[in-house]
């Protein structure tokens, strides 16, 4: 029930969206660095400002009743950034977990972190695992944060899981199909993202949810992530709501299927 939620967003703006709510939304949060640099600030200031937008989008999705939200916070390739930026981002993730713990728990949200966490420091791993454990029975929304994550890396990991099963003769290679691959991804229980939003005007997928985004709709916002707000989020939803998703079929077939529902 919406009235039980403890949220700080502008709900009136979100209420202007009346269309179907995507079950799963993915977000590529881009433009923090440029936002800061254009204001003569160091890049990490942009990431801190971006964390405020994270709160807006998490709360908006919870308010709308999305089942899942996946945020691309740090890619497998981001380890190659300057050391001070990497350190700053890791501290920011740690701070986020502490600061947002109450909002996550108060609003029935389950936290999951996907990616290669073996590369994270022990303090951050323990903070992540603590909140994952305490929120694991929350079922109102899943907030999935991709950290040290790459879509190709996730597929390689899945291939290894399946190859190990084949080596142990638990499966026959003829049984390997789309369903088995999907089951070996980080969150096989989640639907594929119906909508992926990317900020800062760049039309790139950047190794995000490579397997799961096969049929995702994309919305590219010209705003930098720290400037992304409820209004722009509604624009993304409206754009999604106006599209006909065909999954390889013709428009006529889909219209017929829709009218027989
Ligand atoms: C990409 O912008 C953004 C990142 C690599 C980090 C995203 C992290 C946050 C929004 C911080 C908070 C996140 C959580 C989940 C607490 P960029 O730095 O590549 O921007 P640029 O293209 O302008 O350089």
């Amino acid at each position: 029930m919406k009235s039980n939620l403890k949220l700080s967003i502008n709900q009136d703006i979100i209420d202007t969206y009346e269309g179907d709510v995507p079950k799963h939304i993915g977000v590529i949060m881009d433009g923090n660095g440029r936002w800061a640099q254009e204001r003569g600030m160091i890049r990490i200031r942009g990431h801190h400002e971006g964390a405020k937008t994270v709160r807006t989008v998490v709360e908006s999705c919870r308010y709308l009743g999305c089942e899942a939200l996946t945020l691309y916070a740090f890619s497998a390739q981001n380890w190659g950034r300057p050391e001070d930026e990497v350190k700053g981002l890791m501290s920011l993730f740690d701070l986020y977990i502490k600061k947002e713990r109450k909002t996550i728990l108060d609003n029935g949200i389950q936290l999951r972190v996907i990616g290669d966490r073996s590369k994270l420091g022990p303090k951050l791993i323990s903070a992540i695992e603590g909140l994952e454990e305490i929120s694991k029975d929350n079922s109102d929304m899943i907030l999935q944060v991709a950290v040290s994550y790459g879509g190709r890396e996730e597929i390689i990991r899945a291939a290894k899981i399946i190859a190990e099963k084949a080596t142990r003769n638990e499966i026959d290679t003829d049984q390997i199909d789309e369903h088995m691959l999907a089951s070996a991804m980080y969150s096989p229980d989640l639907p594929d993202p119906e909508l992926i939003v990317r900020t800062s005007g760049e039309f790139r997928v950047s190794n995000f949810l490579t397997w799961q985004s096969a049929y995702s709709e994309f919305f590219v916002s010209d705003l930098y992530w720290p400037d992304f707000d409820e209004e722009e989020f509604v624009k993304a939803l409206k754009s999604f709501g106006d599209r006909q998703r065909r999954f390889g079929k013709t428009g006529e077939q889909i219209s017929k299927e829709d009218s027989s529902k």
Side-chain angles (χ1 to χ4, degrees):
M1 254 202 335
K2 281 183 178 179
S3 55
N4 289 340
L5 298 176
K6 293 181 183 149
L7 306 174
S8 54
I9 45 163
N10 187 332
Q11 300 177 0
D12 292 343
I13 296 178
I14 303 295
D15 282 334
T16 61
Y17 181 65
E18 293 171 340
D20 288 344
V21 174
K23 289 193 177 72
H24 183 180
I25 299 178
V27 186
I28 303 173
M29 310 181 286
D30 196 16
N32 294 344
R34 277 166 287 167
W35 182 93
Q37 282 164 333
E38 285 178 15
R39 286 161 179 78
M41 299 171 181
I42 54 166
R43 292 175 56 85
I44 196 69
R45 287 282 303 276
H47 296 309
H48 276 262
E49 205 59 33
K52 296 182 191 163
T53 311
V54 167
R55 169 180 271 219
T56 303
V57 170
V58 169
E59 292 193 2
S60 300
C61 285
R62 176 66 190 91
Y63 181 68
L64 280 162
C66 286
E67 282 176 28
L69 168 68
T70 301
L71 300 174
Y72 202 9
F74 191 88
S75 74
Q77 289 66 35
N78 285 153
W79 289 112
R81 290 198 172 195
E83 203 184 320
D84 58 340
E85 185 170 342
V86 171
K87 267 193 186 159
L89 276 166
M90 294 301 142
S91 309
L92 178 58
F93 299 145
D94 195 43
L95 182 71
Y96 175 83
I97 286 174
K98 290 185 180 99
K99 263 178 80 177
E100 298 301 313
R101 180 188 170 94
K102 192 167 157 39
T103 307
I104 287 173
L105 298 178
D106 281 352
N107 293 296
I109 298 171
Q110 181 192 130
L111 176 84
R112 287 185 194 177
V113 174
I114 57 168
D116 181 3
R117 67 176 70 178
S118 70
K119 291 190 173 161
L120 308 178
K123 198 170 141 247
L124 180 56
I125 294 178
S126 135
I128 290 170
E129 288 178 353
L131 192 49
E132 279 180 334
E133 176 59 28
I134 198 164
S135 68
K136 72 177 190 306
D137 295 325
N138 288 350
S139 54
D140 292 323
M141 185 178 102
I142 291 165
L143 167 60
Q144 198 166 233
V145 184
V147 179
S148 187
Y149 170 88
R152 287 186 174 180
E153 286 77 358
E154 183 180 24
I155 295 170
I156 293 166
R157 177 180 168 272
K160 283 183 184 164
I161 292 171
I162 292 169
E164 277 161 17
K165 282 189 185 164
T167 308
R168 292 194 299 267
N169 287 322
E170 287 167 19
I171 54 156
D172 197 273
T173 46
D174 290 344
Q175 289 173 271
I176 301 173
D177 60 6
E178 194 176 319
H179 177 74
M180 193 181 286
L181 253 301
S183 309
M185 299 295 154
Y186 282 115
S187 285
D189 55 326
L190 295 192
D192 287 342
E194 288 172 277
L195 170 66
I196 294 185
V197 176
R198 179 171 189 143
T199 53
S200 93
E202 310 274 5
F203 288 73
R204 272 197 298 278
V205 185
S206 301
N207 208 11
F208 181 54
L209 300 179
T210 309
W211 174 267
Q212 300 86 343
S213 64
Y215 286 99
S216 301
E217 298 293 330
F218 279 77
F219 177 84
V220 176
S221 163
D222 284 332
L223 300 182
Y224 291 145
W225 178 247
D227 292 328
F228 192 86
D229 57 8
E230 290 92 332
E231 240 168 74
E232 191 72 359
F233 188 49
V234 166
K235 258 196 217 167
L237 292 167
K238 284 186 176 159
S239 162
F240 170 80
D242 287 344
R243 299 185 203 179
Q244 184 190 48
R245 306 191 68 212
R246 293 195 287 274
F247 302 96
K249 293 186 181 176
T250 68
E252 279 172 359
Q253 286 175 301
I254 298 296
S255 302
K256 236 187 226 169
E257 284 175 15
D258 286 347
S259 62
S260 65
K261 272 180 198 162

